[in-house]
C-alpha cells in the first residue's frame, strides 16, 4: 500500500455523511428480517406446496409451535405424556442447579489447591488430564451401573460435564495469579487463606467466569442427555424423547425453544455478574 | 551484636526452571543501628531489591543470617513494610482500600482503619482519589499509594525500593521532605534504595554502595551533614564532596552490558 502524505494543515476532513436509518440499524434489520423471512417460508410452505401424508407427521409450522407453547406454558395444560410442562421444567431446573452447584463446590476449592500446591498438582494432574480428554458420555454406562436408573445418575452426568471446564479454568487462573501481588499481601502478614481471598481469587476471576460459562453449557447439555437416558420420570429431556416417539413435533419444537430462551437468559445473567465484578478493570479488557 | 538490622554472609542464588542460575547476593553483610536512615545505591541488577526481599522475609537466603532487633528473619512480620518498586497495588481495590491493606490484615476495625488511612492519603496528596482504581492513576500517583500503604501499617522498619522513581521532580522534593519528617517523628529505621546519589546523600545517615552482581557491600559512606536537612544544603561544598565520593565508588561498578556476563553460578 502506498503511504499517503497529506499535510495536516492542508487536509480538510470530508463532512461526516448523514447516516440513514437503514445504515444505522443495518445488522438489526438484516438479522431480524432474515428470521422473519425464514418463519414466513416455514409457515406458508405447507399451505402453498402441500405436504405428503408422510411428511405431515414430521412437520410443525411456527403457528403450531406457538399454539403448543401457549397451551403448555400459559394454560398449563396436561401433556399427552405425564404431568404439565412446568413440572418437567422444574425437574430439569432442579437437576441443572444441583449438578452445577455441586461442580462449583468441588471445582473451585480443588482448582485453587491444585494451582497453589505443586505437590497436589503433581498428584492429580494425570487423572484430570485423562478424564478431561475423555468424552463424558463414555462414563454414562458406568454411572448407570453405580447409581442405578434415576435422580443420582442424572446429577452425576451433569456434574461430570460441568466440573472439568470449571476446574481447569480455575486452575489456570490460579496458576496465572500475579506473583508480585501475592508477595505484597504476604509481606503485610497474609496467611495462605488470606492470600487466596485477597489476591488469587480476584485475580483469577476472569478465568473462573469463562469456565463458568462453559460449565453452564455443559450442564444444560448434561441435563438433556441424562434425561434422555437416565430413566427419570420428569424432565424436559424426558418429554423430548416421548414427544419424538409419538411424533409430536410441535411439542418437540416447543421444548427446544424453551431451552434456547433459558440458555440465552443464563448467558445474559453471567454477563451481568461479570460486569458487576469487573468494575475495577479498564473498560477495554472488560469483555473477557 | 548491638546492631538493629544485621545481614551476615548472605548468599542467594536464583535457580529459575530451564534457565541459568543467577547469584544475586554473595557474602552480603550489613549492620544498621536502630532509627537510622540508610540508603543503598548500586548498579541495576546488583541485588538491591533482592536484599530488601530477604529482609522483608519474602525470600529465604541460601546461607547466612538476616536478623532484625535480635530476631532471625524467617518470614514477613508487621515490624517491617515495603514500598515496592513495581507498586504492587491490588487492581481490584480502590486507593483507600489499598492503603488499608496492612491494617486490615492486622485486624484493625474498619472505623479506625479508615481514619488512619485517610491521614496518610492526605499526606501523599491523594485526597479526592480515595475511590479511584489503580488503573485510573498515573505512575507517580500509584507510587504514592504504595508509600501511604506502607506507612499506614506503621512498621518499625520501612523498606523503600526506589519509591520516588516515578515522581516528577517537584513532587519528589515534597515527598522527600515528608519522608524525613515522618522518619524523625515516628523514629523509624529506613532502608532506602535509589539510583539518585543526590537523593541518597540528602536523606541519609549512611549510604551503602553495592558492587555489581553478585552484590556485596562495597563501601559504607557516613553522611556527616547536620540535621534537620534543608534544601540549601544541596549546594554546600560538603554535600558535593559526598556526592563525588559515592560516585567514584559507584562508577567502577557500572559497565554497560556487563551485567549479563558476570556472576553466573
Ligand atoms: N525471581 C527471580 N528469579 C530469577 N532471577 C531473579 C529473580 N529476581 C531477581 N533476579 C535476578 O537477580 C539479580 C538481582 O535482581 P534485583 O531485582 O535484586 O536487582 P536490583 O539491584 O534491584 O536492580 P534494579 O536497580 O534494576 O531494580 C538480577 O540479575 C535479576 O535478574
Ligand atoms: Mg530493584
Amino acid at each position: 500500500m502506498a503511504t499517503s502524505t497529506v499535510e495536516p494543515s492542508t487536509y480538510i476532513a470530508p463532512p461526516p455523511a448523514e447516516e440513514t436509518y437503514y445504515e444505522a440499524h443495518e445488522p438489526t434489520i438484516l438479522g431480524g428480517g432474515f428470521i422473519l423471512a425464514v418463519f414466513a417460508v416455514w409457515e406458508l410452505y405447507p399451505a402453498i406446496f402441500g405436504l405428503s401424508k408422510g411428511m405431515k407427521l414430521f412437520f410443525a409450522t411456527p403457528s403450531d409451535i406457538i399454539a403448543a407453547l401457549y397451551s403448555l406454558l400459559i394454560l398449563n395444560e396436561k401433556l399427552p405424556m405425564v404431568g404439565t410442562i412446568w413440572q418437567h421444567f422444574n425437574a430439569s431446573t432442579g437437576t441443572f442447579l444441583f449438578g452445577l452447584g455441586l461442580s462449583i463446590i468441588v471445582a473451585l476449592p480443588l482448582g485453587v489447591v491444585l494451582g497453589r500446591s505443586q505437590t497436589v498438582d503433581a498428584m492429580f494432574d494425570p487423572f484430570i488430564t485423562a478424564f478431561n480428554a475423555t468424552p463424558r458420555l463414555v462414563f454414562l454406562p458406568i454411572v448407570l451401573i453405580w447409581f442405578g436408573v434415576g435422580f443420582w445418575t442424572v446429577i452425576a452426568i451433569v456434574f461430570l460435564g460441568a466440573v472439568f471446564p470449571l476446574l481447569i479454568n480455575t486452575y489456570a487462573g490460579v496458576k496465572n495469579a500475579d506473583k508480585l501481588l501475592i508477595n505484597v499481601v504476604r509481606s503485610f502478614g497474609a496467611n495462605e487463606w488470606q492470600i487466596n481471598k485477597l489476591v488469587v481469587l480476584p485475580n483469577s476471576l476472569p478465568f473462573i467466569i469463562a469456565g463458568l460459562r462453559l460449565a453452564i453449557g455443559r450442564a444444560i447439555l448434561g441435563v438433556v442427555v441424562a434425561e434422555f437416558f437416565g430413566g427419570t420420570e420428569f424432565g424436559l429431556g424426558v418429554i423430548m424423547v416421548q414427544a419424538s416417539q409419538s411424533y409430536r413435533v410441535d411439542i418437540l419444537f416447543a421444548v427446544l425453544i424453551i431451552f434456547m430462551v433459558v440458555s440465552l437468559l443464563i448467558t445474559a445473567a453471567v454477563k451481568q455478574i461479570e460486569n458487576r465484578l469487573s468494575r475495577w478493570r479498564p473498560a477495554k479488557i472488560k469483555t473477557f | 551484636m548491638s546492631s538493629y538490622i544485621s545481614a551476615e554472609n548472605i548468599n542467594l542464588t536464583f535457580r529459575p526452571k530451564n534457565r541459568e542460575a543467577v547469584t544475586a547476593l554473595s557474602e552480603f553483610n550489613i549492620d544498621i543501628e536502630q532509627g537510622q536512615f540508610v540508603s543503598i545505591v548500586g548498579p541495576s541488577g546488583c541485588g538491591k531489591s533482592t536484599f530488601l526481599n530477604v529482609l522483608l522475609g519474602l525470600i529465604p537466603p541460601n546461607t547466612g543470617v538476616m536478623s532484625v532487633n535480635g530476631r532471625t528473619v524467617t518470614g514477613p512480620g508487621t515490624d517491617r513494610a515495603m514500598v515496592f518498586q513495581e507498586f504492587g497495588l491490588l487492581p481490584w481495590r480502590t486507593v483507600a482500600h489499598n492503603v488499608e491493606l496492612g491494617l486490615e490484615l492486622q485486624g484493625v476495625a474498619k472505623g479506625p482503619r479508615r481514619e488512619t488511612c485517610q491521614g496518610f492519603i492526605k499526606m501523599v496528596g491523594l485526597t479526592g482519589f480515595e475511590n479511584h482504581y489503580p488503573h485510573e492513576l498515573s505512575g507517580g500517583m500509584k507510587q504514592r499509594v504504595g508509600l501511604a500503604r506502607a506507612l499506614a501499617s506503621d512498621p518499625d522498619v520501612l523498606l523503600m525500593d526506589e519509591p520516588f522513581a516515578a515522581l516528577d521532580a517537584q513532587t519528589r522534593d515534597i515527598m522527600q521532605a515528608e519522608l524525613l519528617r515522618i522518619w524523625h517523628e515516628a523514629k523509624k529505621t529506613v532502608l532506602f534504595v535509589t539510583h539518585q546519589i543526590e537523593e541518597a546523600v540528602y536523606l541519609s545517615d549512611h549510604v551503602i554502595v553495592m558492587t555489581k552482581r553478585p552484590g556485596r557491600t562495597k563501601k559504607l559512606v557516613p553522611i556527616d551533614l547536620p540535621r534537620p536537612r534543608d534544601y540549601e544544603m544541596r549546594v554546600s561544598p560538603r554535600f558535593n564532596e559526598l556526592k563525588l565520593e559515592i560516585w567514584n565508588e559507584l562508577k567502577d561498578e557500572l559497565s554497560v552490558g556487563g551485567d549479563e556476563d558476570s556472576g553466573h553460578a
Side-chain angles (χ1 to χ4, degrees), chain B residues 28-76:
Chain B
F28 183 85
N29 287 285
I30 219 172
D31 281 303
I32 294 169
E33 283 167 38
Q34 185 162 19
Q36 286 239 313
F37 197 121
V38 176
S39 288
I40 302 177
V41 297
S44 178
C46 75
K48 303 182 294 296
S49 297
T50 304
F51 169 64
L52 291 191
N53 278 319
V54 170
L55 176 47
L56 196 58
L58 288 179
I59 310 178
N62 298 126
T63 60
V65 179
M66 181 77 244
S67 64
V68 176
N69 200 11
R71 284 191 303 270
T72 303
V73 172
T74 52

Side-chain angles (χ1 to χ4, degrees), chain A residues 106-191:
Chain A
V106 171
L108 279 191
L110 189 58
V112 172
V113 172
L114 287 174
R116 295 284 297 153
S117 157
Q118 279 176 354
T119 322
V120 184
D121 186 10
M123 279 162 54
F124 277 71
D125 185 60
F127 287 99
I128 292 171
T129 313
F131 271 82
N132 187 47
T134 315
R136 239 66 70 199
L137 273 182
V138 173
F139 296 111
L140 188 68
I142 301 171
V143 169
L144 269 171
I145 290 179
W146 283 351
F147 294 99
V149 166
F151 181 70
W152 286 105
T153 289
V154 176
I155 294 293
I157 295 294
V158 177
F159 172 81
L160 282 175
V163 77
F164 286 103
L166 206 49
L167 178 62
I168 286 164
N169 270 46
T170 306
Y171 169 81
V174 169
K175 272 274 178 222
N176 192 48
D178 193 325
K179 294 260 161 25
L180 171 67
L181 296 184
I182 291 177
N183 274 341
V184 168
V185 297
R186 267 182 67 205
S187 82
F188 283 104
N191 56 32

Side-chain angles (χ1 to χ4, degrees), chain B residues 14 16 22 24 43-51 85 162 195 213 259:
Chain B
F14 289 106
V22 178
S44 178
C46 75
K48 303 182 294 296
S49 297
T50 304
F51 169 64
Q85 189 171 5
E162 302 183 34
H195 282 288
R213 200 189 69 212
D259 188 39

Side-chain angles (χ1 to χ4, degrees), chain B residues 15 34 69 83 85 90 120 142 162 173 193 206 242 263:
Chain B
R15 299 184 193 283
Q34 185 162 19
N69 200 11
V83 181
Q85 189 171 5
L90 304 183
F120 286 101
K142 286 182 200 166
E162 302 183 34
D173 288 342
V193 168
H206 288 94
L242 288 163

